[in-house]
Amino acid sequence: MSSSAFVPALSGVEKQDFRNAMSRLGAAVNIVTTDGPGGRAGFTASAVCSVTDAPPTLLVCVNRSASVWPAFSQNQVLCVNTLAAGHEALSNLFGGKTPMETRFLAAGWHTLATGAPILDDAVASFDCRISRTVSVGTHDILFCEAQALVCSAQGSGLIWFDRGYHHLLRQAAS
Ligand SMILES: NC(=O)C1=CN([C@@H]2O[C@H](COP(=O)(O)OP(=O)(O)OC[C@H]3O[C@@H](n4cnc5c(N)ncnc54)[C@H](O)[C@@H]3O)[C@@H](O)[C@H]2O)C=CC1
Ligand SMILES: Cc1cc2nc3c(=O)[nH]c(=O)nc-3n(C[C@H](O)[C@H](O)[C@H](O)COP(=O)(O)O)c2cc1C
């Protein structure tokens, strides 16, 4: 066997080893918001993925111990706002222990179909109703059906990889 850093996991997988391996999966950074009877809330999420385009559905994984969980559970609507390069400070605000009002004061917002806050300069926003929730371990998987979309032709993407931010730059067409 080579002397590289490859470490085989032969008998079960420890939580920290799982996280270390997951840190190697680059993912877009999103601020997921909600509003309604349960109040306005938002958090940073990288566990977001497309499910099917008919009906247009994506999923979001949220830790049930997060302060935002009751609001999402009660409101049953959310908006996935995909961040652009330059949104690192906003991502940190929504990913930490910051009071909810302070998080939202740091950017401009509007609403579309569901009333969930849509970030003014997101790369894309998916305004959704939660169609199904499945609990696995510590997290709820929220299946979300898009009711309205915003898609920007401008801007570079923001990626979370190896526990840090990276910019995904547009290549000039060849
Ligand atoms: N899916 C999630 O709940 C995620 C949570 N985070 C949280 O953000 C903070 C910073 O994370 P990192 O700097 O990336 O270092 P980390 O060592 O906590 O996590 C490394 C990777 O493991 C995964 N991960 C982390 N916590 C997880 C959890 N509770 N359930 C499922 N997957 C999880 C994510 O893919 C993450 O990028 C931590 O508090 C972490 O828990 C970050 C990314 C995803
Ligand atoms: C880059 C990044 C990605 C994250 N992705 C997720 C995620 O997909 N799901 C999740 O439940 N928490 C995720 N978190 C953690 C939440 O953003 C954080 O727990 C949330 O803001 C709740 O914090 P609070 O309980 O202090 O309000 C992520 C944090 C960061 C910095």
Side-chain angles (χ1 to χ4, degrees):
M1 182 179 280
S2 83
S3 59
S4 71
F6 174 68
V7 180
L10 294 176
S11 56
V13 172
E14 296 293 332
K15 184 193 269 193
Q16 194 54 48
D17 293 335
F18 177 74
R19 287 196 182 196
N20 288 341
M22 286 303 300
S23 75
R24 310 301 295 170
L25 272 71
V29 186
N30 310 274
I31 291 178
V32 184
T33 59
T34 187
D35 204 353
R40 185 169 68 161
F43 73 108
T44 300
S46 56
V48 172
C49 162
S50 180
V51 176
T52 173
D53 62 2
T57 303
L58 49 72
L59 67 77
V60 175
C61 298
V62 58
N63 197 316
R64 284 191 305 281
S65 70
S67 69
V68 296
W69 181 85
F72 283 86
S73 178
Q74 199 175 337
N75 294 340
Q76 291 296 303
V77 296
L78 62 76
C79 183
V80 174
N81 296 286
T82 305
L83 299 185
H87 276 143
E88 289 89 334
L90 194 63
S91 171
N92 289 338
L93 265 186
F94 278 81
K97 304 292 175 193
T98 315
M100 211 47 73
E101 282 312 308
T102 310
R103 297 185 194 190
F104 280 97
L105 281 172
W109 308 89
H110 59 285
T111 58
L112 269 178
T114 72
I118 293 170
L119 177 63
D120 284 348
D121 52 356
V123 165
S125 294
F126 304 84
D127 192 19
C128 301
R129 293 199 173 282
I130 298 173
S131 54
R132 190 180 306 180
T133 299
V134 177
S135 298
V136 177
T138 52
H139 282 57
D140 274 0
I141 308 167
L142 310 178
F143 291 89
C144 308
E145 187 173 332
Q147 309 294 306
L149 300 171
V150 182
C151 188
S152 167
Q154 310 292 320
S156 298
L158 186 64
I159 298 296
W160 186 250
F161 173 72
D162 207 12
R163 302 186 170 97
Y165 296 108
H166 302 266
H167 291 182
L168 202 56
L169 302 176
R170 282 172 182 278
Q171 301 287 335
S174 54

